Amino acid sequence: MATMEDLKTALKETLFKRGVLGDIKAKIRAEIFAALDDQDVNRPRINDENLLINELIREYFQYNNYHHALSVFLAESGQPAQPVIERVHMARELRVSEDAKSRSVPLMYGLVRGIRPTLAEPVKSDPQPIPKRSDLFSQEPEPFEFTKF
């Protein structure tokens, strides 16, 4: 017969494999930020540069279906719930020229593509190789425990 510890472990592994554990953690974080966010406190106005950067991040999160990360980001940053700058205006502000293909991905991808050195340019230093995703993230479920405040 399985012990309570075995059941907890099996439940954590199952939730992790199904991708639910990360969602639950993100929802808890978003709710904590919302609960801690004092609505009576006047936040400083978000300047135009931060507004633009936040909209780029929002577009990136939405494109990659990072809905829970987006909800935490919006709660923490004070960014309005609905986009406040249209993509065409962001592209114009960033001086990014677009075509049909580039419009299918977030502007952030175009910015990254634009700042990478071209292959024709000599490399001035030996860059560190980009680590593989499998080297960054283990396949084991991360421990998760509720703690009392």
Side-chain angles (χ1 to χ4, degrees):
M1 191 159 152
T3 67
M4 184 60 96
E5 200 58 41
D6 294 336
L7 291 173
K8 283 183 185 179
T9 302
L11 179 60
K12 286 179 190 176
E13 288 175 1
T14 301
L15 292 174
F16 178 79
K17 288 177 185 173
R18 292 177 56 201
V20 176
L21 191 57
D23 291 348
I24 292 170
K25 287 180 181 182
K27 286 180 184 178
I28 290 171
R29 284 186 203 107
E31 289 302 321
I32 289 171
F33 282 122
L36 295 176
D37 188 27
D38 187 356
Q39 298 298 324
D40 296 334
V41 175
N42 289 333
R43 290 180 184 250
R45 185 179 172 275
I46 298 174
N47 66 32
D48 292 343
E49 191 172 75
N50 281 356
L51 192 67
L52 179 61
I53 292 167
N54 289 350
E55 287 300 323
L56 289 169
I57 294 169
R58 175 202 309 267
E59 183 186 37
Y60 172 80
F61 280 165
Q62 288 174 331
Y63 177 81
N64 287 291
N65 294 317
Y66 297 156
H67 303 294
H68 302 297
L70 177 61
S71 68
V72 172
F73 171 71
L74 293 176
E76 191 171 13
S77 69
Q79 188 79 357
Q82 296 300 315
V84 293
I85 306 173
E86 291 183 27
R87 180 186 170 105
V88 65
H89 298 300
M90 289 193 299
R92 188 178 311 129
E93 180 70 24
L94 296 166
R95 294 180 176 87
V96 174
S97 59
E98 293 196 284
D99 57 20
K101 184 177 178 185
S102 68
R103 282 187 207 94
S104 67
V105 296
L107 279 169
M108 196 177 297
Y109 286 96
L111 294 173
V112 169
R113 208 173 296 120
I115 61 174
R116 282 189 177 156
T118 62
L119 295 176
E121 294 177 11
V123 178
K124 295 180 180 145
S125 64
D126 230 2
Q128 293 291 330
I130 297 174
K132 296 179 184 173
R133 182 177 176 87
S134 60
D135 293 338
L136 296 174
F137 301 102
S138 69
Q139 298 301 318
E140 296 297 317
E142 55 187 75
F144 180 75
E145 293 181 25
F146 288 100
T147 57
K148 294 182 181 180
F149 291 97

